[in-house]
Amino acid sequence: MSLFRQFIASGVLVITALLSVADALAMNLDEIDQLFDKLERADISEPQAINEAIASLEAAIDKDDLPRVLRLSRLHCWNQDSTTEKLAAAAAVYANKLLGDPKNDTLTRADLLLCRGYYNRLAGKPKDALVDYDEAVKLAYQVESPRLIADARSLRGAILSFEGNFSPALEDLITAQHLYESLGMEVWSLNNLTELATSYRRFGDPQTAIRYYRQLEEKYRNQGEFNAATLVNSEIAMAYEAMNENAMALEYYRKTADYWESANEPLAAASIYVNMSGSLIKQGLVPEAKQKLAKAEPLIKIEHAGFYSFMKLYQAQIALQENQPDKALELLNQGEEAFNSIQNKRGLAELYTTKSQTLAALGDWHSAYGALETQNRLQNELQNQLQSQRTTEMRTRFDTDRMANENRQLLENQRLKEHELQILQQNKLLQLTTMVLVLVILAIVSVFAYKQAQRSKLMEHLALTDFLTKLPNRRHIYRRGELFVQQAKKQQSAMSVILFDADHFKKINDHYGHDVGDKALVVLADCASAQMRKTDMVGRIGGEEFLVLLPGTSLAQAGEIAERLRKAMDDTDMNDISTGLSLTISAGVASLDKDKSFSALLNRADHALYQAKAAGRNQVVLDGPHSQAADPAAEI
């Protein structure tokens, strides 16, 4: 059954003869929006009238009118057939397809998430439904849509209530109730009030539930909505049953079942027979309970998990009383699977009580004890959950003023938005002109700001970067060197430097020319950068001389790195720059010891470099008490 059919209609058919498709073409925007409002408020409730109204909208809406096209998409989603679990699953797939439209705005996405969640719940996927509802609530608050917030919190509250999370359920449902009443949406207000009353019944406050139910029944009967009033009667019966007033419960169950029988609604009648059986069994009227269950069994299938689970439980209780424990156990296993599929702990607790008795009757005392333990655990979980939420529930009841104030503020914001929208619509030309001017000014300011930022960034980069090699220049790397030394001293960690330069570089410039020399320096810079870690820093400090900062690196490790660099440069083929060109480097390595400054460390590295040059070049010398060349054969 589609959303518009499942939610209770107001009882007054506002439109008795909708415009034909030809007439729809002549609809103006106000008329289109009014028809949208009537559909969304459920003022149009008959399935045929709904379909005709949607067809009229399809014919009247311009395909380029994106807001109304999206609004129509949302109506299509909610108007899918979901009378069976299979159809509900197909409707969820359709909703998922609509969600994939990249043109969806936030409001549309929120509504489509609600739609998909609704069908997922009908398809027996409550967890998926709750995920969609949670996301929809967030998005609804983002767009500050009171109607969408009410819908989202009403649907989420219903599923939370069914799962036994009464405190958040009540807060959701009370919030939704305030909004629906403030918006004057009577159909949805009555539907939400039904869920609110049912939550109080499940929570263990049937008196409050019955008070709400009686209000609902009176309103529905005054409106001529006898189906809706009968649905409320079945809820009243369950509330009396929760109060152990089984005689009153049976009175309402019988009245409800008779109505559905006379209305030729056998499935509805069968569901009442299942619920009625519980009260009959409690009053010892087992033959009548057995008769009602026999009438229900052909109609209640496994896909009706809520009723199917209790039907199997009651059949098992009767079988046990008739001394048929084997049959009872089989029925209990079927009911247990159904209860688990809908996560109904309350039903499972009752089932395990019967299962323990059944296993005991079969002489399986060990399993009977295990079933009783499971029942106790479930009962404790339910009691703990109920107890933990009672304080919050009471706080929720007395916090209605806060929720009402929040809702009033939300509605006020909505009214202000609508007023602003009217002003904007009346001044489209002025709005467009203003927007264009603002965009031009913003563009000019943005371009100017961007250029200024880029210029500042470029100037800073140029000030700290060597023009030829694109490495940090002398000023930049010296500044970083001082910082690294201070950090190493503070953290008492290692810190090393490598000072290296190109061997016989003047000969390269003299023989090949300065252009080739510059290219060779670029190759040298790239080679050095490639050998270093992300934490290291390579810079050019002048001419053919380079400096490497190695934080967290010991002298031995730095020597290995320098040797690896020397070898890599020695192996580099530079024939693509100039035939016969080759380049080697000499390097001096020093590690932070008792140096008071970075310059002292640098002087020791410079001294080691001088020794490398004096020793014949193309080698690495480590600074130390007895400075020596690094072993080229050492494993790097």
Side-chain angles (χ1 to χ4, degrees):
M1 190 176 293
S2 70
L3 176 71
F4 294 106
R5 295 177 64 188
Q6 296 211 17
F7 282 169
I8 298 164
S10 65
V12 179
L13 187 60
V14 176
I15 295 179
T16 57
L18 291 170
L19 297 171
S20 65
V21 172
D23 293 333
L25 291 172
M27 292 171 65
N28 60 40
L29 294 181
D30 285 340
E31 290 170 334
I32 290 172
D33 290 340
Q34 287 171 11
L35 187 52
F36 268 123
D37 288 340
K38 288 167 183 172
L39 284 166
E40 291 168 352
R41 295 172 66 90
D43 291 339
I44 303 173
S45 58
E46 294 297 325
Q48 183 179 352
I50 291 169
N51 291 331
E52 289 175 357
I54 291 176
S56 298
L57 289 170
E58 285 180 332
I61 294 174
D62 189 319
K63 289 182 172 57
D64 294 329
D65 187 352
L66 185 59
R68 292 179 178 85
V69 168
L70 293 177
R71 200 173 180 184
L72 183 61
S73 171
R74 303 198 293 270
L75 281 179
H76 275 303
C77 185
W78 285 109
N79 201 39
Q80 299 302 301
D81 188 359
S82 56
T83 49
T84 66
E85 191 170 299
K86 186 176 180 180
L87 287 172
V93 171
Y94 177 71
N96 192 60
K97 179 181 177 182
L98 294 178
L99 270 165
D101 190 340
K103 296 189 295 294
N104 289 336
D105 56 15
T106 304
L107 186 145
T108 299
R109 178 166 177 76
D111 203 13
L112 292 177
L113 280 168
L114 281 182
C115 181
R116 185 176 70 181
Y118 175 75
Y119 291 131
N120 272 330
R121 184 185 179 189
L122 295 181
K125 298 179 178 178
K127 288 184 179 179
D128 292 345
L130 195 54
V131 169
D132 283 343
Y133 291 163
D134 285 340
E135 182 64 21
V137 169
K138 292 178 185 176
L139 295 178
Y141 274 102
Q142 283 182 22
V143 296
E144 294 185 333
S145 168
R147 163 65 196 280
L148 198 57
I149 290 170
D151 289 344
R153 298 196 72 166
S154 179
L155 287 168
R156 186 174 71 175
I159 198 169
L160 289 170
S161 170
F162 183 79
E163 291 181 348
N165 294 319
F166 300 114
S167 177
L170 286 171
E171 184 164 349
D172 273 347
L173 293 169
I174 291 172
T175 298
Q177 192 65 28
H178 287 160
L179 288 172
Y180 282 138
E181 290 175 357
S182 299
L183 292 167
M185 303 181 71
E186 187 174 14
V187 174
W188 308 108
S189 172
L190 292 175
N191 178 74
N192 186 78
L193 187 58
T194 303
E195 291 290 351
L196 185 56
T198 301
S199 293
Y200 279 116
R201 174 178 62 76
R202 290 170 177 158
F203 180 71
D205 186 359
Q207 292 90 345
T208 300
I210 289 173
R211 188 171 71 252
Y212 282 136
Y213 285 140
R214 292 198 185 284
Q215 294 175 22
L216 286 164
E217 184 188 16
E218 182 180 359
K219 287 183 179 180
Y220 285 136
R221 291 199 182 280
N222 291 339
Q223 294 173 0
E225 292 291 335
F226 298 111
N227 282 4
T230 303
L231 287 171
V232 173
N233 270 336
S234 66
E235 296 288 346
I236 292 175
M238 286 187 279
Y240 275 121
E241 190 175 0
M243 296 166 65
N244 290 321
E245 295 187 21
N246 292 298
M248 286 293 293
L250 279 174
E251 180 182 335
Y252 275 91
Y253 277 137
R254 288 193 173 106
K255 184 165 55 174
T256 304
D258 290 344
Y259 175 86
W260 290 127
E261 288 281 8
S262 64
N264 196 25
E265 292 283 355
L267 182 59
S271 66
I272 298 302
Y273 289 148
V274 172
N275 289 339
M276 186 190 303
S277 300
S279 288
L280 288 167
I281 292 170
K282 289 172 185 174
Q283 292 200 79
L285 303 174
V286 174
E288 186 180 353
K290 189 173 181 179
Q291 177 193 14
K292 298 301 182 186
L293 289 171
K295 292 181 70 173
E297 188 168 21
L299 297 167
I300 302 297
K301 305 298 182 185
I302 194 168
E303 56 263 27
H304 310 120
F307 297 110
Y308 180 86
S309 53
F310 278 103
M311 180 179 72
K312 293 300 176 183
L313 171 60
Y314 298 148
Q315 287 175 332
Q317 290 175 349
I318 292 172
L320 184 60
Q321 290 193 34
E322 294 178 343
N323 200 26
Q324 300 178 60
D326 288 320
K327 180 180 178 182
L329 186 60
E330 181 181 352
L331 291 165
L332 288 168
N333 289 335
Q334 294 170 0
E336 183 178 356
E337 184 177 351
F339 277 127
N340 280 321
S341 71
I342 56 175
Q343 300 178 345
N344 190 330
K345 289 185 179 180
R346 289 176 291 117
L348 279 171
E350 184 177 352
L351 182 141
Y352 274 107
T353 300
T354 305
K355 192 169 187 178
S356 175
Q357 297 166 353
T358 302
L359 291 166
L362 289 168
D364 188 352
W365 297 102
H366 179 74
S367 298
Y369 180 73
L372 190 60
E373 279 192 325
T374 303
Q375 187 272 341
N376 287 333
R377 176 178 58 79
L378 287 169
Q379 200 63 45
N380 286 335
E381 286 179 7
L382 289 169
Q383 283 299 117
N384 290 337
Q385 186 179 43
L386 199 61
Q387 188 64 36
S388 67
Q389 294 189 80
R390 279 194 181 276
T391 301
T392 307
E393 186 270 341
M394 292 301 295
R395 198 163 54 239
T396 301
R397 289 192 187 191
F398 292 108
D399 205 17
T400 52
D401 287 344
R402 175 187 62 81
M403 287 185 274
N405 287 332
E406 290 177 355
N407 290 338
R408 278 194 294 271
Q409 184 62 47
L410 188 65
L411 290 166
E412 182 61 28
N413 290 343
Q414 180 70 12
R415 281 191 286 269
L416 288 173
K417 284 185 177 181
E418 290 172 355
H419 181 63
E420 290 172 0
L421 182 60
Q422 290 174 358
I423 294 174
L424 288 173
Q425 288 175 339
Q426 294 169 1
N427 298 280
K428 286 184 178 180
L429 182 59
L430 178 60
Q431 179 190 30
L432 181 61
T433 304
T434 303
M435 286 177 64
V436 170
L437 288 173
V438 169
L439 287 173
V440 170
I441 293 170
L442 284 175
I444 293 171
V445 172
S446 298
V447 169
F448 178 76
Y450 176 76
K451 287 187 174 180
Q452 282 294 99
Q454 290 297 103
R455 185 178 294 110
S456 297
K457 187 176 180 180
L458 177 61
M459 293 301 292
E460 181 181 359
H461 179 71
L462 290 175
L464 300 174
T465 305
D466 176 60
F467 179 77
L468 176 64
T469 62
K470 305 300 184 283
L471 293 177
N473 60 17
R474 180 190 187 96
R475 176 186 177 190
H476 188 187
I477 199 165
Y478 275 18
R479 185 187 300 168
R480 294 302 297 273
E482 292 284 2
L483 180 62
F484 283 1
V485 166
Q486 291 173 14
Q487 289 176 342
K489 286 182 175 181
K490 184 177 180 180
Q491 299 170 2
Q492 295 185 344
S493 60
M495 159 70 186
S496 299
V497 298
I498 302 172
L499 190 63
F500 69 92
D501 67 8
D503 294 332
H504 303 296
F505 190 71
K506 185 175 183 304
K507 292 181 179 179
I508 293 176
N509 279 335
D510 292 344
H511 183 71
Y512 294 98
H514 287 278
D515 183 53
V516 170
D518 286 349
K519 290 179 181 178
L521 288 176
V522 171
V523 170
L524 176 55
D526 292 343
C527 180
S529 297
Q531 301 301 316
M532 302 306 156
R533 304 162 300 181
K534 289 183 179 180
T535 55
D536 303 334
M537 186 176 195
V538 183
R540 183 186 180 197
I541 59 175
E544 66 273 21
E545 194 169 12
F546 295 81
L547 175 63
V548 183
L549 304 178
L550 302 167
T553 307
S554 68
L555 182 64
Q557 291 170 331
E560 292 178 356
I561 294 170
E563 178 58 28
R564 185 171 60 207
L565 171 60
R566 183 203 65 77
K567 187 176 185 306
M569 199 62 226
D570 196 20
D571 293 341
T572 299
D573 184 2
M574 304 184 72
N575 284 314
D576 57 336
I577 297 176
S578 184
T579 303
L581 177 65
S582 63
L583 185 65
T584 62
I585 65 167
S586 299
V589 183
S591 185
L592 188 64
D593 187 8
K594 297 180 180 179
D595 306 278
K596 294 183 179 180
S597 65
F598 171 68
S599 60
L601 176 62
L602 194 61
N603 283 335
R604 292 197 288 109
D606 187 56
H607 178 70
L609 173 59
Y610 175 79
Q611 289 182 305
K613 293 280 190 181
R617 293 183 170 82
N618 191 20
Q619 59 184 284
V620 176
V621 170
L622 308 184
D623 175 73
H626 303 286
S627 300
Q628 58 182 354
D631 183 5
E635 182 178 343
I636 306 301

